[in-house]
């Protein structure tokens, strides 16, 4: 049996948490940064005179969360299309990329969707990474495939014609999940219990609604896997991370998870080093699986080297893999690298295979690369793995949510001098785990 992809409810909730925490902090950019979103195009010529195939990428490049938080998938997708065009494009036609920065707002997102679909007439959207995907219903009604987007909210488990990079089993009939609930598995907690011997887990959160709610979701999963759970909550305005670190040390926690923002994570790690709290793993998510770890955690070397990341795609540093080597070669000019860049690269590859199948179907000279043809390919693309970069993606539209699933995950650990080191082959790291409901 082919391994099933990891359920990504926890990752979706974590990304949404980042939005809520930064909004609660009152962080914002100058008004000028939220003026009319800028749509731009980028294409590398293929054969002279060949009509381009136009795609759109929406990224919240400027947002309350920060300028680089949501640009990784965009950069990875652009790198793929640049290389593709340098090699002749799709059947001799270059891919023309139209970019739109939605400013991290719902209004800006709707503006981007209108420009790309109605004015630029893109065939599809690729690697969407929107803080507030308010235009998702409009994309769906236009029957324009949204390929390989990041599920920061519930849109990819709500609307047809939207194909998130991690897949979906939900009906996608206009309401989130099943009766408004999404489901996620406990495979991450199972892994650390079985492979690393973890038994006591600390969950650190703020005394803030979104943070506390996500912490409760994590705690439910840990308890379902038989962990002793230590809850640590710090004040949102004046957090005492040192006290939390001292307590989790006293309680003997060997696994630490959190419902914090990036800054809070760094301060927690610093406090853990200060009190001498050594753990088997300080677990983070795919959004923080980046090459900036030395800078982000510069004051906490012990905790830094206990960082683990889990996800549904092959480690971007695993250059023993041919597909990863190609990605790294094409992105060697980027200042930083991340797992989201690799997933954006995979999304662009996915679109390319869809467009190539359409070009092959048309032997009459007409343009076969249409929205309808691309969407039909996506609707059939069960088990897509982007040349082994992704765990096989599935779209099933189950009438009832699964009670359990066999799911797999990718696992890496940070080591100074080596970066993110793969700890297991993702297609073999699989568990039969319960699925727990949560409200997005």
């Amino acid at each position: 049996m082919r391994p099933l992809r990891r359920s990504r409810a926890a990752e979706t909730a974590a990304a949404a948490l980042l939005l809520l925490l930064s909004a609660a902090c009152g962080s914002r950019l100058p008004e000028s940064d939220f003026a009319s979103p800028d749509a731009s195009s980028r294409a590398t010529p293929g054969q002279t005179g060949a009509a381009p195939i136009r795609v759109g990428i929406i990224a919240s490049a400027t947002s309350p969360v920060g300028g680089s938080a949501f640009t990784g998938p965009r950069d990875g997708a652009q790198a793929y299309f640049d290389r593709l065009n340098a090699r002749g494009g799709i059947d001799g036609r270059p891919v023309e990329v139209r970019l739109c920065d939605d400013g991290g707002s719902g209004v800006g997102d709707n503006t981007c969707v209108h420009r790309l679909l109605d004015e630029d007439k893109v065939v599809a959207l690729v690697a969407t990474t929107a803080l507030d995907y308010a235009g998702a219903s409009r994309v769906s009604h236009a029957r324009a495939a949204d390929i390989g987007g990041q599920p920061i909210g519930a849109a990819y488990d709500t609307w047809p014609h939207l194909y998130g990079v991690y897949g979906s089993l939900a009906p996608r009939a206009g309401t989130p999940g099943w009766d408004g609930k999404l489901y996620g598995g406990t495979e991450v907690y199972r892994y650390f219990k079985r492979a690393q011997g973890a038994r006591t887990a600390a969950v650190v959160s703020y005394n803030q609604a979104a943070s506390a709610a996500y912490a409760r979701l994590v705690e439910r999963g840990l308890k379902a896997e038989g962990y002793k759970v230590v809850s640590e909550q710090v004040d949102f305005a004046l957090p005492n991370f040192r006290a939390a670190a001292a307590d989790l040390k006293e309680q003997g926690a060997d696994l630490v998870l959190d419902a914090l923002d990036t800054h809070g994570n760094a301060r927690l790690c610093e406090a853990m080093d200060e009190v001498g709290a050594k753990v088997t793993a300080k677990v983070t998510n795919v959004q923080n699986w980046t090459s900036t770890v030395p800078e982000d955690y510069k004051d906490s070397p012990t905790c830094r080297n206990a960082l683990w990341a889990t996800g549904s795609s092959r480690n971007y540093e695993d250059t023993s893999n041919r597909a990863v080597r190609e990605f790294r070669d094409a992105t060697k000019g980027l200042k930083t690298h991340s797992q989201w860049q690799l997933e954006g690269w995979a999304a662009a590859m996915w679109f390319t295979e869809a467009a190539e199948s359409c070009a092959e179907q048309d032997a009459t000279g007409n343009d076969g690369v249409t929205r309808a043809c691309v969407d039909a390919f996506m609707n059939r693309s069960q088990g897509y793995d982007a040349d082994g970069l992704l765990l096989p993606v599935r779209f099933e539209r189950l009438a009832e949510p699964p009670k359990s699933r066999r799911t797999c995950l990718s696992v890496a650990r940070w080591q100074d001098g080596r970066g993110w080191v793969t700890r297991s082959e993702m297609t073999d790291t699989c568990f039969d785990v319960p699925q727990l409901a949560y409200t997005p």
Side-chain angles (χ1 to χ4, degrees), residues 6-14 184-203 213-229 254-259 280-285 309-311 407-411 429-436 438:
R6 179 187 162 196
S7 171
R8 297 304 303 272
E11 301 289 5
T12 302
T186 60
E187 58 276 0
V188 172
Y189 320 130
R190 180 79 58 88
Y191 169 81
F192 284 103
K193 184 177 181 180
R194 290 193 179 181
Q196 304 302 324
R199 293 294 181 269
T200 301
V203 182
Y214 179 56
R216 288 193 295 270
L217 174 65
V218 174
E219 289 168 5
R220 282 178 58 209
L222 289 165
K223 290 176 180 177
E225 290 297 331
Y227 281 84
K228 173 187 173 183
V229 178
D254 43 24
L255 185 68
V256 177
L257 302 104
D258 69 87
T280 300
K282 169 68 178 72
V283 184
T284 189
N285 56 57
T310 63
T407 54
C408 306
L409 70 159
S410 175
V411 184
T429 309
C430 308
F431 307 96
D432 293 298
V433 294
Q435 299 294 297
L436 306 179
Y438 81 101

Side-chain angles (χ1 to χ4, degrees), residues 244-401:
D247 188 57
L248 67 87
K249 177 186 178 183
E250 178 69 20
Q251 297 281 350
D254 43 24
L255 185 68
V256 177
L257 302 104
D258 69 87
L260 307 172
D261 54 0
T262 302
H263 177 66
N265 260 299
R267 291 187 62 192
L268 173 61
C269 257
E270 186 176 350
M272 289 171 61
D273 273 19
E274 288 176 356
V275 303
K278 297 181 179 180
V279 297
T280 300
K282 169 68 178 72
V283 184
T284 189
N285 56 57
V286 68
Q287 193 174 12
N288 296 312
W289 193 336
T290 73
S291 63
T292 63
V293 167
E295 295 79 32
D296 296 339
Y297 297 88
K298 60 184 175 61
D299 297 320
S300 46
T302 300
C303 181
R304 182 174 68 235
N305 282 280
L307 285 176
W308 293 65
T310 63
S312 297
S313 51
R314 192 170 297 280
N315 181 5
Y316 77 86
E317 297 223 52
D318 184 9
T319 53
S320 65
N321 178 272
R322 177 194 53 77
V324 174
R325 286 198 304 274
E326 184 172 2
F327 160 74
R328 291 301 298 269
D329 181 63
T331 57
K332 59 187 177 184
L334 297 178
K335 293 181 179 179
T336 62
H337 284 92
S338 72
Q339 202 64 15
W340 265 13
Q341 289 171 358
L342 179 138
E343 291 178 354
W345 171 278
M349 185 188 302
W350 205 350
F351 167 79
T352 299
E353 293 194 26
E356 287 175 342
S357 76
C358 295
E360 291 170 0
Q361 291 174 17
D362 191 340
T364 66
N366 295 323
D367 187 0
V369 186
T370 63
R371 289 181 182 177
C373 182
V374 170
D375 184 67
F377 176 92
M378 294 301 301
N379 210 32
R380 298 190 305 269
S381 60
Q382 297 296 339
Y384 184 76
D385 68 359
D387 200 15
L389 293 177
L390 302 175
L391 285 168
V393 184
R394 301 181 69 173
F395 300 98
E396 290 195 33
R397 300 193 180 188
L398 301 180
E400 300 292 334

